[in-house]
Amino acid sequence: MTFFIEVVLSGLMAGVMYSLVALGFVLIFKASGIFNFAQGVMALFAALTLVGLMEKFGFPIWLAIIGTIAVMIALAWLIERVMLRHLVNQEPIILFMATIGLAYVLEGMGDILWGSDVKVLDLGIPQGASDWMLDSFDIYIEKLEVFAAVTAAILVAFLAVFFQKTRIGRALRAVADDHQAALSVGISLHTIWVIVWSVAGIVALVAGIMWGSKSGVQFSLSLIALKALPVLILGGFTSVPGAIIGGMIIGVGEKVAEVYVGPFVGGAIENWFAYMLALVFLLFRPQGLFGEKIIERV
Amino acid sequence: MTEAATLTSNKTLLSVNNIEVIYDHVILVLKGVSLEVPEQGIVALLGANGAGKTTTLKAISNLLRAERGDITKGSIEFEGKRIDTLTSAQLVQQGVIQVMEGRHCFEHLTVEENLLTGAYTRRDGNAAINRDLELVYSYFPRLKKRNRAQAGYTSGGEQQMVAIGRALMSRPKMILLDEPSMGLAPQLVEEIFENVARLNRDEGVTFLLAEQNTNIALRYANHGYILENGRVVLDGSAAELRENTDVKEFYLGISEGQRINFRDVKHYRRRKRWLT
Ligand SMILES: Nc1ncnc2c1ncn2[C@@H]1O[C@H](COP(=O)(O)OP(=O)(O)O)[C@@H](O)[C@H]1O
Ligand SMILES: [Mg+2]
């Protein structure tokens, strides 16, 4: 039983990562209808910038984090200026292709600015097992993972308050609902896009920190974006809770399947489990678990 | 009903001068539209479906650009200043706001949140905004009762009230109201127009309203313009228009029986055009 709980917990922790990347997708998709292919690369770029600021400029951790947030906001502003502004009213597929281009640009920029070697991200997050969990429940779990989960929870709570309670948050939801009506009351879409890409950039930074602390900052980080796709199919493209819960389900599902079913089929289930699950969902529940209810008025 | 014309000053608040609007760089929709709205007036923009009413309102509020529309000729002035280069956000700040055809409420926001989005451009603090929220509720008590309901689940009439209330929250000098009667039961239409008249009288809000319901629009407006195929074909005071035989026949549905005169041929052609 303990072993099963350990498997589930470690799945949950991996799931948190998927959730964060999917969350970035959902935010941008809701506010602008853009499927942002570059979300994973944004996480990589943020982590690279963080490490770079610490290593090359000797910034202390807190200053490096603030600096990286500033860079992500500047990046959002630049993306709006150079890319989105000129593509308003274009077909979604054109915007999607633009974000593919953006992914390559960001990857290249990360390379040029910070180099392409694998970097160690050490934020002083304690390593090793959580003694408390081990002592009280006899469960082995990494401190880093607990830290990651708590951070993600705080981030999500913070975002929830931001969206529900602030004037800007309300405007973001208004744009997501009906961008024409939002324009009509004087909400500037340009401002909203900068804000939403900034938020997505900060979420990407948190994802980048977590993944980077665990496996080092390297290109494979941008590949977790591929795992976000099944998460989105599961949770629904426009649902924030869907992104979070979808990520956890896939994280847990693939770990459990790997450990308990893997031995019978020769392993490596973890690599394709998410896609299989997504396929099942596409067949039987294409709107996802939490796909937004379309309100139909009679 | 009291004729609101007595309140209208002669000062022109909005003037649209011979504007031409093209969609997608090729579709010419407005072919030289001119109109004037006096301060504190209620002006009706009438015409059949597709005549260009919405396009005219969107040209004024500059929501055109979001639909790939462009003003290619003419000018628009508000309070004597050119406004055709301002963004819709700047226009809202100047006091011009549009209530779009089909209400366009934010479906997943509550009624109250919808109203608050109308105050997005304001910088005069929460106290003033909350005062105006109460003002909106005093005009539309039904919205107060339903303030926590998701707007998507409210009735058509309530959504129209939300849309108008939301516009009011921006403290507008002028509201561009697009087809408020659309899809509403007659007594609700009456209620909405009563509120328009009250807002005009008590809050001094100027209205330019587009309507296919000529009858009710001419009862509440002081002046009307009739649009056909992107041109103003007739304009006059509401009283004049109500008595005009063409308006009676084609817009108010009052037929004067078998009239055999020189205009019949013309009428026939025009009727054909409307019906196609
Ligand atoms: N976004 C658009 N792109 C192209 N044509 C449009 C667009 N919007 C409206 N039109 C056309 O412009 C004409 C006038 O439309 P509109 O202003 O909506 O009329 P009304 O509001 O009087 O019904 C119609 O023929 C319509 O097909
Ligand atoms: Mg219309």
Side-chain angles (χ1 to χ4, degrees):
Chain A
M1 188 58 198
T2 314
F3 178 65
F4 178 73
I5 291 175
E6 278 173 15
V7 171
V8 168
L9 279 177
S10 85
L12 270 182
M13 300 305 161
V16 167
M17 272 300 304
Y18 304 151
S19 299
L20 283 180
V21 176
L23 180 62
F25 267 113
V26 168
L27 291 178
I28 289 178
F29 189 75
K30 271 176 84 94
S32 54
I34 296 175
F35 186 88
N36 179 24
F37 184 80
Q39 188 63 34
V41 183
M42 275 166 68
L44 172 68
F45 182 80
L48 279 174
T49 306
L50 183 67
V51 176
L53 287 178
M54 285 165 67
E55 278 183 359
K56 292 205 176 168
F57 295 93
F59 281 24
I61 295 168
W62 60 272
L63 193 60
I65 289 180
I66 292 173
T68 309
I69 290 175
V71 168
M72 295 315 281
I73 291 173
L75 183 69
W77 184 83
L78 210 65
I79 289 171
E80 198 280 319
R81 273 285 146 140
V82 176
M83 194 176 105
L84 303 178
R85 181 165 291 217
H86 303 284
L87 295 177
V88 263
N89 289 328
Q90 297 291 344
E91 301 290 321
I93 187 72
I94 293 180
L95 288 158
F96 172 62
M97 289 194 293
T99 67
I100 295 182
L102 174 67
Y104 283 108
V105 170
L106 277 182
E107 216 183 292
M109 256 165 68
D111 251 17
I112 295 168
L113 289 175
W114 314 114
S116 59
D117 44 323
V118 178
K119 293 175 187 61
V120 182
L121 178 59
D122 183 8
L123 295 183
I125 300 167
Q127 303 285 332
S130 162
D131 301 328
W132 180 73
M133 286 296 276
L134 206 54
D135 292 345
S136 4
F137 303 101
D138 199 24
I139 289 170
Y140 179 92
I141 181 171
E142 296 268 340
K143 277 186 186 142
L144 175 68
E145 295 185 322
V146 177
F147 180 83
V150 171
T151 311
I154 292 172
L155 178 74
V156 168
F158 183 79
L159 286 178
V161 172
F162 173 65
F163 278 111
Q164 292 303 320
K165 301 290 174 205
T166 68
R167 167 177 159 272
I168 299 282
R170 197 160 51 223
L172 285 170
R173 285 184 293 136
V175 170
D177 252 14
D178 188 330
H179 70 272
Q180 277 204 34
L183 270 177
S184 84
V185 294
I187 296 171
S188 151
L189 293 185
H190 300 299
T191 313
I192 294 299
W193 288 337
V194 172
I195 292 170
V196 89
W197 280 75
S198 300
V199 173
I202 292 166
V203 172
L205 169 64
V206 175
I209 290 177
M210 285 177 188
W211 201 259
S213 319
K214 206 165 132 188
S215 329
V217 179
Q218 53 181 316
F219 178 72
S220 70
L221 186 55
S222 63
L223 297 179
I224 53 168
L226 295 179
K227 275 280 170 60
L229 190 63
V231 172
L232 291 170
I233 291 171
L234 209 70
F237 277 78
T238 53
S239 166
V240 170
I244 294 163
I245 294 168
M248 310 256 182
I249 291 176
I250 288 198
V252 172
E254 64 183 18
K255 272 281 182 322
V256 170
E258 179 72 48
V259 171
Y260 291 97
V261 187
F264 302 108
V265 294
I269 286 187
E270 218 173 337
N271 293 330
W272 51 260
F273 175 82
Y275 303 101
M276 277 305 291
L277 196 60
L279 198 64
V280 171
F281 261 77
L282 278 179
L283 289 175
F284 296 107
R285 203 181 153 81
Q287 75 273 37
L289 279 176
F290 298 85
E292 209 111 273
K293 240 190 289 176
I294 314 251
I295 298 178
E296 298 254 18
R297 215 166 33 75
V298 280
Chain B
M1 201 196 79
T2 56
E3 199 71 290
T6 46
L7 283 165
T8 310
S9 69
N10 291 321
K11 230 172 96 190
T12 300
L13 186 62
L14 174 86
S15 72
V16 173
N17 311 307
N18 204 22
I19 58 165
E20 205 176 83
V21 168
I22 296 186
Y23 282 112
D24 289 317
H25 302 292
V26 286
I27 309 168
L28 178 64
V29 170
L30 295 190
K31 304 152 186 168
V33 168
S34 297
L35 58 88
E36 286 195 350
V37 181
E39 200 161 32
Q40 295 193 19
I42 301 180
V43 172
L45 196 54
L46 306 166
N49 195 16
K53 302 180 297 296
T54 299
T55 304
T56 307
L57 295 190
K58 284 190 171 173
I60 299 166
S61 63
N62 210 344
L63 291 173
L64 264 190
R65 250 182 257 162
E67 298 213 32
R68 297 182 303 269
D70 252 321
I71 303 175
T72 48
K73 234 167 73 181
S75 67
I76 301 172
E77 284 169 22
F78 181 72
E79 296 180 315
K81 290 188 288 278
R82 291 277 298 250
I83 54 165
D84 31 312
T85 54
L86 300 186
T87 63
S88 41
Q90 286 167 323
L91 279 162
V92 172
Q93 275 168 316
Q94 304 258 321
V96 184
I97 192 164
Q98 177 159 356
V99 175
M100 287 195 290
E101 184 178 329
R103 356 252 191 242
H104 281 267
C105 293
F106 302 118
E107 296 194 329
H108 296 94
L109 272 60
T110 65
V111 165
E112 186 152 309
E113 284 174 334
N114 263 276
L115 296 177
L116 288 171
T117 56
Y120 179 80
T121 55
R122 285 172 63 172
R123 292 289 177 277
D124 52 353
N126 281 336
I129 289 172
N130 284 331
R131 252 198 320 278
D132 285 337
L133 198 56
E134 287 311 314
L135 182 78
V136 170
Y137 285 144
S138 76
Y139 278 90
F140 304 107
R142 232 191 291 188
L143 297 187
K144 174 132 196 166
K145 276 197 223 116
R146 306 222 52 193
N147 67 344
R148 305 247 165 267
Q150 247 185 61
Y153 290 113
T154 59
S155 71
E158 285 161 346
Q159 292 194 359
Q160 187 63 65
M161 294 174 196
V162 168
I164 295 174
R166 185 173 69 186
L168 281 173
M169 289 301 293
S170 71
R171 296 207 131 267
K173 291 174 187 148
M174 174 167 194
I175 294 182
L176 308 166
L177 187 52
D178 200 352
E179 307 244 9
S181 78
M182 189 195 262
L184 298 185
Q187 91 255 24
L188 266 171
V189 173
E190 204 72 45
E191 189 181 332
I192 298 281
F193 271 85
E194 270 309 321
N195 274 307
V196 166
R198 272 177 68 205
L199 287 165
N200 174 256
R201 190 178 60 224
D202 300 341
E203 311 298 327
V205 181
T206 303
F207 282 89
L208 173 58
L209 56 95
E211 257 303 340
Q212 284 190 58
N213 186 337
T214 310
N215 184 25
I216 191 143
L218 285 182
R219 274 205 287 125
Y220 284 91
N222 353 91
H223 200 92
Y225 289 83
I226 297 189
L227 224 54
E228 250 178 54
N229 261 314
R231 288 195 178 86
V232 174
V233 291
L234 195 62
D235 86 282
S237 75
E240 274 165 26
L241 291 178
R242 276 199 300 266
E243 294 311 315
N244 182 294
T245 42
D246 279 2
V247 175
K248 270 188 180 167
E249 181 163 359
F250 291 105
Y251 292 98
L252 295 172
I254 306 166
S255 176
E256 304 209 321
Q258 302 290 314
R259 281 174 303 128
I260 302 166
N261 60 33
F262 67 96
R263 280 188 302 200
D264 272 10
V265 180
K266 185 174 137 225
H267 278 164
Y268 174 72
R269 265 202 245 111
R270 286 169 66 184
R271 190 201 297 277
K272 253 184 85 174
R273 192 144 37 91
W274 280 317
L275 293 180
T276 50

